[in-house]
């Protein structure tokens, strides 16, 4: 009779087998040997090893990363998936994503892949990610199955997932190739909303649409100038959003935008695109909500009421940032003279209108120990040009809220990267707002230079005459070197509609009305 086997010895032996399996799969993954990985798994199972979720996922991931799979390997992948479920292993998001990719190697792969994605939440209570949808969306778009592609996009929306440039570009292209002008317009707006500058694949898909015969057939002949103008103002100046304007063939050119914002292709002046009124209100409420959570509620509420009774500021000044600029030396300290220079310059730029200086009361008390400082600060305060934030408060909340609520420009070199702005950075509003409202400054040999926001925004823009401008490529050191798509109706097609078009809208007037401080944008002011 044999010696009884020690249970611990058996466990250790199986553990070694499992370790060997894991090692074998790692080796196969590195070499890209799919067949060897499947053989290693089957061999381990035949010796009594119970594979882990990681074992299955590593093979499925390896299969999904192959550029092409023959039908046998695709079937093997689905057998592995079924085998995984038979071990009562719940698939993860990465499992389903791998299977969704593998499914697309079948002739009916799009439907199969999309079915797997939908099962994630319905069957396994797992939330998909954007990458999970990409295989089936790409499958449908490449085969011009537009309605199925739209269904995928709709399902993404129900799961709270927003497409990025790659997905929007695919949807735009399939809409273009199937002649769905309304959908192309929707995806042009989606691009404008989600992407600042586009990649080359997106620009080519866009060109393809505008050069098509179907593109020349969409649009309206008559529209009301005043209605379009009002919509543009409410939207922040960068888009209409109400559908194609004009009729006839489009002219597509590539060119650059001058420092003055004028397109060299069509002569159209681009705008500095700001938040729309609803976006601005939403952003302001978000800032107020964060501030009230983190500040003494009564203090911040008092500030809100004070602002309501003191409207019309065009400049808000971050006093701490200006006063402490380049003061990191032995005798350095808060420079009231620097702050005074900025105050006087802002007042001059605004034709005598006082800016609002936001200063912490602790700093106010320290500065007021000097009689001449106290006289200047009290003078500002008596004119409504100074607000002191209370003890225990963070003055960042005050100056950012004031800038939003007053539609003003903000003088600060603060890059807005700390925890406060991390909270706000999650909103798509923040980068747009920051670009249009931050005024940086420097003192060169004692001479103040205010650097205003650029005259125009490097974002997709839809003009009131129906034309489009689309910036191509990543960030440029010099925006003047960036290539743009300039897209407009042929002049001959729009001559008969000139009385209905809004070519006569005064660009500067639009900028001034959409933001009280916009007439100042683009200037570089120096104080002699």
């Amino acid at each position: 009779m044999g010696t009884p086997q020690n249970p611990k010895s058996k466990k250790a032996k199986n553990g070694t087998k499992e370790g060997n399996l894991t090692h074998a799969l790692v080796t196969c993954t590195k070499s890209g040997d799919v067949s060897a990985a499947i053989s290693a798994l089957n061999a381990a199972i035949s010796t009594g090893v119970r594979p882990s979720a990681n074992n299955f996922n590593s093979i499925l991931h390896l299969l999904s990363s192959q550029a092409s799979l023959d039908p046998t390997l695709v079937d093997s992948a689905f057998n592995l998936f079924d085998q995984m479920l038979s071990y009562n292993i719940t698939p993860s998001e990465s499992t389903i994503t791998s299977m969704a990719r593998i499914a697309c190697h079948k002739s009916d792969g799009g439907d199969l892949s999309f079915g797997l994605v939908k099962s994630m939440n319905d069957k396994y209570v797992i939330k998909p990610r954007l990458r999970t949808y990409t295989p089936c969306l790409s499958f449908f778009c490449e085969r011009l199955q537009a309605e199925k592609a739209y269904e995928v996009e709709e399902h993404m929306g129900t799961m709270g997932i927003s497409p990025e440039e790659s997905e929007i570009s695919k949807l735009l292209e399939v809409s273009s190739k199937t002649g769905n002008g309304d959908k192309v317009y929707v995806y042009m707006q989606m691009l404008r909303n989600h992407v600042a500058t586009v990649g080359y694949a997106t620009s080519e898909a866009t060109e393809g649409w505008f050069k098509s015969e179907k593109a020349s057939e969409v649009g309206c002949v008559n529209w009301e100038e005043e209605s379009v103008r009002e919509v543009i103002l409410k939207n922040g100046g960068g888009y209409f959003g109400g559908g194609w304007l004009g009729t006839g063939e489009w002219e597509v050119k590539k060119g650059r935008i001058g420092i003055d914002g004028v397109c060299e292709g069509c002569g159209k002046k681009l705008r500095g695109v700001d938040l729309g009124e609803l976006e601005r209100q939403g952003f302001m409420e978000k800032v107020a909500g964060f501030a009230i959570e983190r500040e003494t509620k009564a203090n911040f509420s008092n500030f809100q009421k004070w602002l309501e009774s003191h409207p019309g500021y065009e400049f808000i000044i971050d006093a701490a940032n200006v006063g402490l600029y380049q003061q990191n030396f032995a005798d350095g300290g808060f420079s009231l003279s620097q702050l005074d220079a900025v105050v006087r310059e802002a007042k001059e730029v605004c034709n005598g209108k006082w800016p609002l200086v936001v200063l912490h009361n602790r700093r106010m008390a320290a500065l007021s120990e000097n009689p001449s400082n106290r006289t200047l600060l009290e003078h500002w305060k008596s004119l409504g040009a100074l607000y002191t934030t209370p003890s225990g408060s963070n003055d960042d909340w005050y100056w950012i809220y004031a800038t939003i609520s007053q539609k003003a420009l903000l003088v600060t070199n603060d890059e807005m990267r700390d925890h406060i702005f991390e909270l706000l950075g999650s909103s798509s509003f923040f980068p747009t707002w920051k670009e249009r409202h931050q005024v940086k400054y420097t003192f060169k040999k004692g001479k103040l230079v205010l650097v205003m926001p650029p005259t125009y925004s490097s974002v997709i823009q839809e003009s009131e005459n129906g034309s489009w401008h689309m910036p191509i490529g990543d960030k440029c050191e010099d925006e003047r070197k960036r290539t743009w798509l300039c897209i407009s109706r042929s002049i001959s097609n729009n001559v008969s509609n000139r009385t209905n078009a809004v070519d006569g809208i005064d660009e500067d007037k639009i900028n001034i009305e959409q933001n009280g401080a916009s007439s100042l944008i683009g200037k570089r002011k120096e104080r002699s």
Side-chain angles (χ1 to χ4, degrees), residues 260-480:
D260 56 357
V262 175
C263 173
E264 66 179 25
C266 66
K268 180 73 181 173
K269 184 177 181 181
L270 302 191
R271 301 194 189 96
V273 178
D274 205 344
L275 300 182
E277 184 56 26
L278 289 177
E279 293 172 324
R280 187 188 70 84
Q281 287 288 342
F283 187 37
M284 184 172 69
E285 289 169 7
K286 184 174 183 178
V287 170
F290 280 139
I292 288 170
E293 283 177 14
R294 291 159 177 77
E295 300 283 313
T296 301
K297 182 176 180 179
N299 289 342
F300 197 78
S301 296
N302 288 339
F303 176 61
Q304 289 177 298
K305 292 175 183 175
W306 185 89
L307 275 178
E308 288 175 5
S309 63
H310 294 76
Y313 293 105
E314 293 190 13
F315 272 98
I316 309 296
I317 300 173
D318 175 5
N321 185 270
V322 173
L324 295 173
Y325 177 73
Q326 292 186 338
Q327 296 300 305
N328 54 341
F329 53 90
D331 296 324
F334 191 99
S335 174
L336 188 59
S337 62
Q338 286 183 175
L339 181 57
D340 183 40
V342 172
V343 169
R344 286 184 286 118
E345 186 67 18
K347 181 170 177 277
E348 182 180 320
V349 170
C350 294
N351 299 316
K353 185 182 290 186
W354 284 92
L356 174 62
V357 177
V358 177
L359 179 70
H360 198 282
N361 70 350
R362 174 174 50 82
R363 188 81 62 186
M364 171 81 170
L367 290 168
S368 294
E369 292 177 3
N370 179 303
S372 60
N373 288 350
R374 183 170 62 250
T375 299
L376 178 60
L377 292 169
E378 288 179 351
H379 176 61
W380 288 349
K381 199 160 191 176
S382 68
L383 295 167
L386 173 66
Y387 189 91
T388 53
T389 60
S391 300
S393 64
N394 186 331
D395 51 3
D396 290 6
W397 291 117
Y398 290 76
W399 51 252
I400 192 171
Y401 180 84
T403 308
I404 301 167
S405 68
Q406 301 286 304
K407 304 181 186 179
L409 294 173
L410 170 65
V411 182
T412 184
N413 284 345
D414 193 325
E415 291 296 339
M416 307 185 204
R417 291 176 181 152
D418 63 18
H419 65 283
I420 285 179
F421 304 105
E422 285 178 6
L423 291 171
L424 299 177
S426 62
S427 165
S428 60
F429 302 151
F430 186 60
T432 300
W433 175 85
K434 184 171 179 258
E435 184 203 42
R436 298 316 306 157
H437 292 270
Q438 183 175 15
V439 175
K440 293 189 175 183
Y441 62 88
T442 187
F443 287 88
K444 295 181 178 178
K445 297 181 180 180
K447 181 184 292 186
L448 170 64
V449 178
L450 293 182
V451 182
M452 300 294 184
T455 55
Y456 67 96
S457 298
S458 291
V459 297
I460 299 170
Q461 297 196 30
E462 179 191 17
S463 301
E464 65 280 354
N465 64 353
S467 64
W468 290 79
H469 289 83
M470 180 177 283
I472 304 171
D474 296 327
K475 289 184 178 179
C476 287
E477 291 284 332
D478 184 351
E479 282 296 325
R480 292 172 297 179

Side-chain angles (χ1 to χ4, degrees), residues 121-397:
N121 188 60
D122 298 342
K123 195 172 181 179
Y124 305 114
V125 197
I126 305 169
K127 184 175 179 180
R129 293 168 60 182
L130 178 58
R131 68 178 186 174
T132 321
Y133 286 97
T134 301
C136 56
L137 182 65
S138 299
F139 185 98
F140 293 138
C141 289
E142 288 166 7
R143 290 159 180 78
L144 303 185
Q145 295 175 308
E147 294 304 320
K148 290 185 176 182
Y150 302 150
E151 187 181 347
V152 173
E153 183 212 350
E154 184 180 355
H155 194 273
M156 288 170 61
T158 65
M159 299 304 296
I161 296 173
S162 298
E164 295 181 356
E165 180 181 352
S166 176
E167 291 73 33
I168 300 171
S169 180
K170 288 180 174 69
L171 288 161
L172 187 153
E173 187 169 22
V174 73
S175 301
S176 169
K177 289 181 176 179
T178 55
N180 192 332
D182 290 341
K183 279 291 190 178
V184 173
Y185 189 84
V186 168
Y187 296 123
M188 287 289 288
Q189 294 295 342
M190 194 178 290
L191 273 175
R192 181 199 54 74
N193 194 41
H194 287 80
V195 181
T197 61
V198 303
Y200 294 101
T202 303
S203 70
E204 287 177 6
T206 304
E207 280 192 74
W209 161 251
F210 283 103
K211 290 179 178 179
S212 70
E213 184 178 345
K214 186 66 178 179
S216 66
E217 297 172 359
V218 298
C220 70
V221 177
N222 300 312
W223 64 90
E224 294 182 10
E225 175 181 326
E226 188 61 28
S227 297
V228 173
R229 181 174 180 274
E230 288 175 2
V231 172
I232 288 173
L233 294 179
K234 287 179 181 178
N235 290 342
Y239 71 102
F240 170 50
W244 302 111
L245 297 176
T247 56
E249 293 182 358
W250 297 84
E251 289 184 357
V252 182
K253 305 174 185 176
K254 287 184 179 177
R256 292 178 176 172
I257 308 298
I259 195 170
D260 56 357
V262 175
C263 173
E264 66 179 25
C266 66
K268 180 73 181 173
K269 184 177 181 181
L270 302 191
R271 301 194 189 96
V273 178
D274 205 344
L275 300 182
E277 184 56 26
L278 289 177
E279 293 172 324
R280 187 188 70 84
Q281 287 288 342
F283 187 37
M284 184 172 69
E285 289 169 7
K286 184 174 183 178
V287 170
F290 280 139
I292 288 170
E293 283 177 14
R294 291 159 177 77
E295 300 283 313
T296 301
K297 182 176 180 179
N299 289 342
F300 197 78
S301 296
N302 288 339
F303 176 61
Q304 289 177 298
K305 292 175 183 175
W306 185 89
L307 275 178
E308 288 175 5
S309 63
H310 294 76
Y313 293 105
E314 293 190 13
F315 272 98
I316 309 296
I317 300 173
D318 175 5
N321 185 270
V322 173
L324 295 173
Y325 177 73
Q326 292 186 338
Q327 296 300 305
N328 54 341
F329 53 90
D331 296 324
F334 191 99
S335 174
L336 188 59
S337 62
Q338 286 183 175
L339 181 57
D340 183 40
V342 172
V343 169
R344 286 184 286 118
E345 186 67 18
K347 181 170 177 277
E348 182 180 320
V349 170
C350 294
N351 299 316
K353 185 182 290 186
W354 284 92
L356 174 62
V357 177
V358 177
L359 179 70
H360 198 282
N361 70 350
R362 174 174 50 82
R363 188 81 62 186
M364 171 81 170
L367 290 168
S368 294
E369 292 177 3
N370 179 303
S372 60
N373 288 350
R374 183 170 62 250
T375 299
L376 178 60
L377 292 169
E378 288 179 351
H379 176 61
W380 288 349
K381 199 160 191 176
S382 68
L383 295 167
L386 173 66
Y387 189 91
T388 53
T389 60
S391 300
S393 64
N394 186 331
D395 51 3
D396 290 6
W397 291 117

